[in-house]
Amino acid sequence: MSDLKEKRIKKLKRKRIWPSIVGLFVIAFVLIIVVVAILGMYIADMVDRKLHEGYKISCNVAEYVVQNLSDLSADELQKHIEFNDSINAIVVFDSNDEIVWSNSDTIPNIDNELIYTDESGMYQNNFCLILESDDKLIFEIDKENIRLSENLLNIVRYKEFLFDEDLLSRESHVPVVETKVWMVVNYDEYKVLVLNNISVVKSELFIIVATFIMMMLLTAVLVVYYILSIIGVAKSQKRITKILYTDMVTGGYNWLHFTKKGDKLLKKSKGIYKYAIVALRMEKYRSFCTCFGVKEGEELLEKIYSALKHTIKKKENLAHHDEADFGLMLMYTSEDDLTNRINSLYEYLGSVAPKIKIKFRFGVCMADDKDKEVDSLYNNATTALDLMPEDTDEKIASYDIEMKKQQLWERKVEDDMDKALVTKQFKLYLQPKYSTKDEKLAGAEALVRWIHPTEGFISPNKFIPIFEKNGFILQLDDYMLEEVALQQSKWQEEGKELFPISVNVSRAHFTRDDLAEHICGIVDKYNIPHNVIELELTESAFFDDKYVLIDTVKQLRDYGFIVSMDDFGAGYSSLNSLKELSIDVLKIDADFFRGTDSVERGMLIVSEVINLAKKLDMKIVAEGIENKEQVEFLTAQECDLIQGYYYAKPLPVEEFEEKYG
Ligand code: C2E
Ligand code: CA
Ligand code: CA
């Protein structure tokens, strides 16, 4: 498949999934960070506040204890400090760090316990603050990093903690969670350590957890939204791919899929199996549609597709191409193997529409080069198919070297043609037409020759069919008409007697309505009478658009040009065209005078055609006349003009002038 096609497909399918996925991660990450940070700050602030409150109380207690140190027994002191539940223990050290007073057995362990020392709110050591309840760690605050403990996350997850029966059954003012912190107060020469309960009541914890849950919910909603949008994008991509690769007529794969899959298969092919690209054509599809209708035609194509689908293997390839053409990529081991395969395909296709006789033909191109594109191999297969003679009973045609040469030639012709026209490589040759009455020059036919700078002399049979296919014939015919008009005007200026020169007008011209004016426009640039220009049309144009042809012929004759029908009797001629077209000259095709088997019958027809033409008031030209017998016969039949090698081959203008003055 071409790079351009690949790019177009990518562009069509480019509904990016990855930005959504990245977006999802970024949003989730940012939200979680924000939630944790806000929550951490909130908790840190709350704990700081509580520590500060505890410290203030501890200061009062320390002052009271130190002032009454000598007077108070521990029990008495205990009574005084009962006013505050949060105080657990008091230990007083003197300046030698000896305990001088204590109200309980609890002795502070400075290294392992939490210590809060002054109003700056700094912890003396680098411990983190841990709030815990019933041995369950609720959260911890590290001075450097604020983070939630595993258990706080568990609270969020399991909620039982928050609605813990035990906790709920306690009195409402009872704190849910608490921890003990030694508050260090320096008073006079004493250092007083007060063990303080730091507690978080249930309502405070509830606010923290509720905020946390809400923010997590918000995060979850956004994450779900993103996930849904990613699924949506993935689905729509799948749909686009399906549309992109579906053939609307058969409902199967289309040509794009064929070439994409085909190129891949070809690249991967190895072992004894090779691939052949097969162009399968149902003959006379148009006639089928004319008889049975387009809908029925398309239904038939669908059936053919399904039948083919059943016969191909997994590593083979199939698609509907165009009209009634299908592409197949078949694996084979030998040529016989491939022929058998195609024959059995043919048999099988016969069952698609048993009541109607359908003919199938196969063009085959072996894929012996892995780097070739399937599209161009298929093109070769169709070339083989196109070159099959109409009337053959053969059903398989293989693309061979001759065809390849022809293809290369066509490409060369197409590359060179424009330049050839500009640099006048196309030369006008004239072939004389002789009158049978006096055997003198009575007209000529303009025939083109290509004098190519490297290929030399090229006969029109080698390039006219190519130009007819690619449309360049329109430019070439105009060029030849102009050359003829120019030549006539030169002779007119030289005072020579003018005679009609015929130019060939390809059937491709009859697509334009203003053909007569167009021809007039070219000829009139040279101020010559119209009756020295004869226009040779082929009968085949009659079958394209007969009304345009009839109209154009009428206009051309009204303008005074001579109109002749070329190659009469060749191909599918129809006497009907003679009935409907009023023309001046009938050129009997050279084929009537060829061969040996049916010469007599040919002559009989020629004499009847001459009779008929005379009755229709037309002149007769016989072309391709090569011998005296033919000339005598035609003279006896009162044929008007004779053109052929017997008198002269087409000549370059200079030679023509030399010969005829
Ligand atoms: P055509 O129009 O039927 O031209 C007659 C062909 O028969 C010419 O071939 C001519 O050289 C050849 N011919 C004439 N007398 C004899 C003979 O006695 N024996 C044999 N064997 N052949 C004879 P040519 O010039 O090769 O042209 C072939 C065809 O190419 C022409 O067939 C015409 O269809 C086409 N062609 C030539 N020039 C032009 C052109 O300028 N425009 C168009 N549209 N077609 C042209
Ligand atoms: Ca001709
Ligand atoms: Ca002819």
Side-chain angles (χ1 to χ4, degrees):
M1 201 189 319
S2 73
D3 292 349
L4 207 70
K5 264 192 202 165
E6 290 270 20
K7 268 190 202 155
R8 277 194 203 125
I9 296 171
K10 272 198 189 139
K11 208 171 153 189
L12 272 178
K13 286 168 66 177
R14 201 197 297 147
K15 186 88 182 11
R16 325 100 317 208
I17 276 195
W18 63 266
S20 307
I21 294 174
V22 172
L24 171 69
F25 279 107
V26 170
I27 290 272
F29 182 74
V30 169
L31 279 174
I32 287 170
I33 292 280
V34 168
V35 169
V36 170
I38 291 176
L39 208 60
M41 273 153 58
Y42 185 83
I43 293 169
D45 180 59
M46 187 187 72
V47 171
D48 265 356
R49 208 166 10 90
K50 291 204 174 280
L51 285 170
H52 194 65
E53 278 166 16
Y55 187 74
K56 267 188 172 167
I57 294 165
S58 300
C59 283
N60 292 338
V61 170
E63 186 183 1
Y64 180 80
V65 169
V66 171
Q67 279 173 3
N68 302 294
L69 202 56
S70 48
D71 315 332
L72 289 178
S73 71
D75 285 346
E76 277 168 326
L77 182 73
Q78 183 66 38
K79 278 180 208 143
H80 284 280
I81 59 168
E82 258 174 10
F83 66 90
N84 197 316
D85 288 345
S86 65
I87 305 295
N88 261 244
I90 302 166
V91 181
V92 182
F93 293 86
D94 63 11
S95 51
N96 298 323
D97 273 352
E98 295 288 332
I99 297 175
V100 291
W101 191 90
S102 169
N103 74 330
S104 80
D105 300 335
T106 317
I107 303 297
N109 176 350
I110 305 284
D111 289 338
N112 294 318
E113 289 177 326
L114 297 175
I115 290 178
Y116 186 82
T117 184
D118 58 22
E119 294 211 11
S120 70
M122 297 293 287
Y123 308 107
Q124 192 188 45
N125 52 18
N126 222 7
F127 278 126
C128 51
L129 174 68
I130 301 161
L131 289 188
E132 55 191 358
S133 170
D134 301 342
D135 296 334
K136 290 183 189 169
L137 183 70
I138 305 304
F139 60 78
E140 55 184 53
I141 297 172
D142 187 316
K143 253 183 53 52
E144 304 295 317
N145 307 297
I146 295 166
R147 61 194 164 87
L148 295 175
S149 80
E150 265 296 301
N151 279 333
L152 183 64
L153 290 175
N154 282 341
I155 297 170
V156 176
R157 256 182 260 142
Y158 304 117
K159 287 196 217 121
E160 315 96 68
F161 185 87
L162 202 58
F163 304 106
D164 190 321
E165 283 301 312
D166 263 7
L167 295 174
L168 287 173
S169 62
R170 294 185 200 173
E171 283 175 32
S172 64
H173 69 274
V174 173
V176 171
V177 286
E178 59 181 33
T179 194
K180 295 178 174 64
V181 179
W182 286 105
M183 301 282 170
V184 183
V185 181
N186 293 311
Y187 198 84
D188 291 342
E189 72 272 25
Y190 298 103
K191 189 197 277 175
V192 184
L193 267 74
V194 181
L195 188 58
N196 224 289
N197 269 351
I198 299 294
S199 61
V200 179
V201 293
K202 193 175 169 212
S203 60
E204 285 176 307
L205 189 63
F206 184 80
I207 290 171
I208 296 172
V209 174
T211 316
F212 187 76
I213 290 175
M214 274 175 65
M215 295 192 85
M216 287 310 262
L217 270 178
L218 181 72
T219 311
V221 166
L222 280 168
V223 167
V224 168
Y225 169 78
Y226 263 85
I227 289 176
L228 287 180
S229 80
I230 289 170
I231 293 173
V233 170
K235 270 190 183 164
S236 77
Q237 253 193 17
K238 212 171 155 192
R239 238 186 45 241
I240 290 174
T241 310
K242 194 157 178 7
I243 294 169
L244 206 64
Y245 292 137
T246 301
D247 173 61
M248 291 303 147
V249 177
T250 60
Y253 285 126
N254 64 8
W255 199 246
L256 195 63
H257 185 268
F258 184 84
T259 50
K260 207 171 155 65
K261 180 180 172 188
D263 287 341
K264 268 193 206 151
L265 285 177
L266 204 58
K267 289 229 157 53
K268 281 194 205 153
S269 64
K270 53 178 182 245
I272 50 163
Y273 282 103
K274 285 188 251 166
Y275 279 107
I277 313 296
V278 179
L280 162 65
R281 180 172 296 163
M282 173 192 154
E283 295 287 305
K284 307 221 161 46
Y285 174 67
R286 285 202 184 172
S287 319
F288 181 91
C289 290
T290 314
C291 290
F292 301 103
V294 175
K295 198 170 142 257
E296 282 69 13
E298 292 191 341
E299 277 171 12
L300 183 62
L301 294 179
E302 197 181 330
K303 281 187 194 161
I304 294 172
Y305 181 87
S306 323
L308 291 170
K309 204 172 143 200
H310 278 108
T311 59
I312 65 160
K313 298 173 191 156
K314 206 175 161 212
K315 283 192 174 170
E316 295 184 332
N317 200 6
L318 161 72
H320 173 230
H321 182 247
D322 193 16
E323 266 205 356
D325 284 6
F326 292 84
L328 289 146
M329 220 174 136
L330 303 177
M331 291 198 289
Y332 71 100
T333 47
S334 65
E335 284 191 23
D336 284 348
D337 176 33
L338 182 64
T339 312
N340 291 339
R341 184 84 195 280
I342 293 177
N343 280 333
S344 60
L345 261 180
Y346 186 80
E347 299 288 314
Y348 189 65
L349 285 173
S351 62
V352 168
K355 287 185 194 146
I356 313 155
K357 214 171 172 319
I358 315 172
K359 250 177 110 181
F360 293 97
R361 280 185 179 181
F362 301 81
V364 179
C365 177
M366 314 293 187
D368 29 28
D369 182 354
K370 279 186 182 187
D371 294 327
K372 274 266 166 73
E373 286 192 341
V374 164
D375 227 355
S376 80
L377 294 170
Y378 177 80
N379 191 43
N380 294 347
T382 40
T383 305
L385 200 59
D386 291 342
L387 292 175
M388 269 176 112
E390 284 275 328
D391 47 4
T392 178
D393 283 336
E394 293 287 327
K395 51 181 180 290
I396 306 174
S398 284
Y399 179 77
D400 60 20
I401 295 167
E402 279 310 308
M403 289 176 188
K404 192 176 187 143
K405 269 194 200 158
Q406 177 61 23
Q407 254 190 339
L408 289 175
W409 170 250
E410 282 190 18
R411 197 169 306 156
K412 178 160 180 57
V413 165
E414 293 194 336
D415 286 346
D416 295 352
M417 62 193 188
D418 290 309
K419 191 172 173 207
L421 196 70
V422 178
T423 55
K424 290 198 169 254
Q425 291 171 22
F426 294 112
K427 293 278 180 256
L428 168 67
Y429 274 54
L430 293 171
Q431 185 177 30
K433 294 174 191 170
Y434 278 67
S435 156
T436 49
K437 287 201 182 91
D438 50 13
E439 287 205 302
K440 287 217 170 105
L441 180 78
E445 177 174 5
L447 294 157
V448 67
R449 299 289 179 262
W450 187 349
I451 315 296
H452 193 280
T454 54
E455 303 290 320
F457 181 96
I458 311 174
S459 140
N461 291 325
K462 290 186 78 180
F463 59 85
I464 294 284
I466 302 172
F467 292 169
E468 277 175 342
K469 258 199 281 175
N470 67 20
F472 188 72
I473 193 71
L474 301 177
Q475 279 165 265
L476 181 69
D477 280 357
D478 286 356
Y479 170 88
M480 289 297 285
L481 177 64
E482 192 146 2
E483 289 291 289
V484 168
L486 176 71
Q487 193 54 57
Q488 292 283 39
S489 77
K490 274 187 196 159
W491 285 337
Q492 182 172 260
E493 274 171 29
E494 288 166 15
K496 287 183 179 160
E497 195 184 328
L498 299 184
F499 50 84
I501 298 182
S502 59
V503 287
N504 291 285
V505 182
S506 164
R507 64 195 279 186
H509 290 273
F510 291 92
T511 46
R512 55 190 299 173
D513 297 339
D514 63 342
L515 180 61
E517 284 101 56
H518 177 72
I519 289 175
C520 225
I522 294 173
V523 173
D524 287 349
K525 283 196 265 178
Y526 299 93
N527 282 324
I528 51 167
H530 288 175
N531 65 2
V532 294
I533 299 289
E534 183 177 327
L535 301 156
E536 292 192 9
L537 325 174
T538 53
E539 226 185 335
S540 56
F542 190 79
F543 302 104
D544 288 342
D545 189 336
K546 97 177 178 185
Y547 298 104
V548 174
L549 181 69
I550 292 170
D551 240 37
T552 310
V553 167
K554 188 177 174 312
Q555 286 174 34
L556 286 170
R557 294 184 80 215
D558 288 348
Y559 280 128
F561 294 108
I562 304 167
V563 179
S564 57
M565 188 184 281
D566 201 1
D567 303 338
F568 184 77
Y572 300 100
S573 67
S574 149
L575 285 176
N576 216 24
S577 56
L578 281 189
K579 187 187 114 199
E580 297 194 43
L581 272 179
S582 300
I583 46 165
D584 305 291
V585 180
L586 202 64
K587 287 188 85 175
I588 301 175
D589 191 67
D591 262 7
F592 285 109
F593 309 100
R594 303 275 173 270
T596 45
D597 296 348
S598 47
V599 182
E600 266 181 41
R601 293 171 75 94
M603 292 307 110
L604 192 67
I605 294 171
V606 168
S607 84
E608 288 310 315
V609 168
I610 293 172
N611 272 335
L612 181 69
K614 294 236 167 276
K615 282 181 190 151
L616 291 171
D617 206 17
M618 289 184 223
K619 272 192 165 184
I620 294 282
V621 179
E623 64 177 333
I625 303 307
E626 292 179 343
N627 56 51
K628 200 167 183 321
E629 292 76 54
Q630 290 167 342
V631 173
E632 282 169 0
F633 168 77
L634 289 164
T635 311
Q637 299 302 316
E638 295 182 12
C639 171
D640 302 289
L641 299 173
I642 290 176
Q643 175 186 349
Y645 292 172
Y646 177 73
Y647 288 115
K649 287 194 170 182
L651 302 166
V653 176
E654 305 75 43
E655 278 182 43
F656 188 92
E657 280 179 322
E658 260 175 44
K659 192 165 177 183
Y660 299 103

